[in-house]
Structure formats: C-alpha cells, structure tokens
Amino acid sequence: AGPGLIGGVMVGLTMAKGLALALDKPFVGVNHLEGHALTARLTDNAQFPYLLLLISGGHTQIILVKAVGEYELLGTSIDDATGEAFDKVAKMLDLGYPGGPKMEEWANRHTPSENCREFNLPRPLKGREGCDFSFSGLKTAVRSQTIDKNIILSDTDKAALAHEFHEAVADVFDDRLENAFSILKQCDIVPTALIVAGGVAANKFLGNRLRTKAAQWNIPFIAPPMRLCTDNGAMVAWAGLERLTSKQNDAFSLKARPRWPLVELSPPQFQE
C-alpha cells in the first residue's frame, strides 16, 4: 500500500482488494519499508528488539525494531539516500547502471600504486552528535575533484575513487551506528542483532564493515541474501503474514500512500 510511486502502488493495492473480496480472504495493506525491516525474521528468525540499518535508493535510516508495527527512528538522511549517492557518483564516473553494483565492482579492482591518483573524500557528519546522515556533500566532493577540474580519469583512477567512496560511506555508517548504540545503551536496551536491509545491503564491501561493527558490540550481524535485498514480493508477503498471524486485517477503505514513514505504523489490530 506504500510508500512508493503512487501509480504502481494503486494498481497493486486495487488488485489485492479485488482478490480479497472475490475469494473472501483477509485483506492486509503492507508498508514496503516494513517488508525490509522484517525480512531478517524470515531468513534468520531474528528476535526483537534489533537495530536496523535500512539503506536503499530512497532511504537511509537507523531504526530500533521493537515489534511488528513498533519502530523507533534514531537517524535518517537529511538529503540524498545512500543508494541515490552511489547511482549519481557512478554516473559521474561513467561506470554504468545500476550504480551500486558497478561502484562495488570498480572498488574491488583498486590496487594502490604509484600511478594512481589520491582522492580524499569527506566523512559527512562524522564526529557529530546524533544518528542522521548526509551524502549530498560526499557526492559533491567527487564532482569537485573530477568533473570541475576537467580531469580525465584512467581506469586506475576510477577504481581508486570508487574504493575511497566506499571507505567514506563505511566510515560514516560506523560513526552513526556507534552513536545509535550509545543511545540505546543509555536506555538499557541491548539489541539482539545489527541488521542491514534494503538494496544497498547487497554491497559486500559495506557488509564486511558492518559485520566488524557488530562484532565489536558482541552481537550477531544479519544481512538478507542478495535476492531479498532489493524490493521483492517475498518480503511484502512475509510482512503481510506477520501482521495476519498477529490477527490483523485492513478495511477496504485503506488508501495508497506515496509517503508512509515506518514510525507512523502501529501494532497489528483486527478490523471489523
């Protein structure tokens, strides 16, 4: 039922209502972000409460997942989402599409050498209070060190820059998550796991850094298999099942929502 491009959401929602009505089945409207948030319970039987890093083309959020329908937002991007930044930088470097996989592919080619340019990108908001993110300046820094200087980049340079971009993003994640963990610790909350979800969760470079962070906290790290990282039917079906088994269905008056923050969800409740 959302969030997303309203046309596609309306088509799917209307179809689901028609099927439920024709087959006399319960109707459950799913928030697709909740699908991402709960995927680890499908794949790894994750137990509440856990700390979720939701990273995709449209979202970058740190969320405490307390239960189905109970989410506390600790931090979010104030401008570009992580996946959006990856796509834009890949386009600047003419690496192809989709940007995230292409950036990781080129980063893996990087081998330091004397013939390689050195790139020093900023770590936005690192060292500051809170858990929010900002990737617009990081993207701009790539442009200022390449396009604005009319530099012709060799393949070696592109690999070095892609690697430095990954390092910058990973450093920011590390810093923001450390702040989130400290906030939870002050509230006597120990998350059962650090979980990453969303399309960017398929990035193994970032996943390895996040795994190291979880090990520092002595908690498990969980990432869905690659096929379940991007938007997919399995995660939506699972979120619907989680709510249905918690005795929820929705009224047919439920409307499609292009914007639908997780924090606006509520625990499952049966609708007459």
Side-chain angles (χ1 to χ4, degrees), residues 90-151:
K91 186 175 182 179
M92 287 183 203
L93 302 181
D94 195 26
L95 301 184
Y97 186 85
K102 291 296 183 181
M103 284 283 286
E104 184 177 14
E105 177 186 332
W106 279 81
N108 289 334
R109 297 182 188 181
H110 172 61
T111 302
S113 68
E114 295 181 357
N115 298 324
C116 178
R117 294 179 188 271
E118 288 189 9
F119 298 96
N120 295 296
L121 298 178
R123 274 57 172 166
L125 300 185
K126 181 180 179 181
R128 299 190 186 183
E129 294 183 353
C131 307
D132 286 341
F133 301 88
S134 173
F135 292 109
S136 180
L138 182 57
K139 172 196 65 184
T140 302
V142 173
R143 182 182 182 90
S144 67
Q145 294 186 35
T146 56
I147 296 174
D148 291 348
K149 291 184 178 181
N150 294 315
I151 294 176

Side-chain angles (χ1 to χ4, degrees), residues 95-255:
L95 301 184
Y97 186 85
K102 291 296 183 181
M103 284 283 286
E104 184 177 14
E105 177 186 332
W106 279 81
N108 289 334
R109 297 182 188 181
H110 172 61
T111 302
S113 68
E114 295 181 357
N115 298 324
C116 178
R117 294 179 188 271
E118 288 189 9
F119 298 96
N120 295 296
L121 298 178
R123 274 57 172 166
L125 300 185
K126 181 180 179 181
R128 299 190 186 183
E129 294 183 353
C131 307
D132 286 341
F133 301 88
S134 173
F135 292 109
S136 180
L138 182 57
K139 172 196 65 184
T140 302
V142 173
R143 182 182 182 90
S144 67
Q145 294 186 35
T146 56
I147 296 174
D148 291 348
K149 291 184 178 181
N150 294 315
I151 294 176
I152 298 176
L153 297 174
S154 66
D155 286 353
T156 301
D157 295 333
K158 290 181 180 181
L161 187 47
H163 184 271
E164 170 65 5
F165 187 86
H166 275 77
E167 289 284 6
V169 172
D171 287 347
V172 169
F173 284 167
D174 188 279
D175 179 76
R176 304 286 84 189
L177 285 168
E178 189 62 44
N179 285 358
F181 195 79
S182 295
I183 290 171
L184 296 182
K185 189 175 181 180
Q186 292 172 7
C187 299
D188 293 325
I189 298 174
V190 179
T192 61
L194 171 61
I195 292 172
V196 61
V200 185
N203 189 299
K204 294 181 180 179
F205 184 102
L206 298 177
N208 288 335
R209 286 287 299 271
L210 293 171
R211 183 175 286 103
T212 299
K213 172 55 65 177
Q216 292 175 356
W217 297 337
N218 198 29
I219 60 175
F221 170 72
I222 299 174
M226 190 172 297
R227 68 183 186 279
L228 297 182
C229 287
T230 54
D231 294 346
N232 61 86
M235 73 178 194
V236 175
W238 176 256
L241 183 61
E242 287 262 43
R243 285 187 166 269
L244 188 62
T245 55
S246 299
K247 306 300 182 183
Q248 173 186 341
N249 69 333
D250 285 298
F252 286 107
S253 59
L254 182 72
K255 295 180 180 180

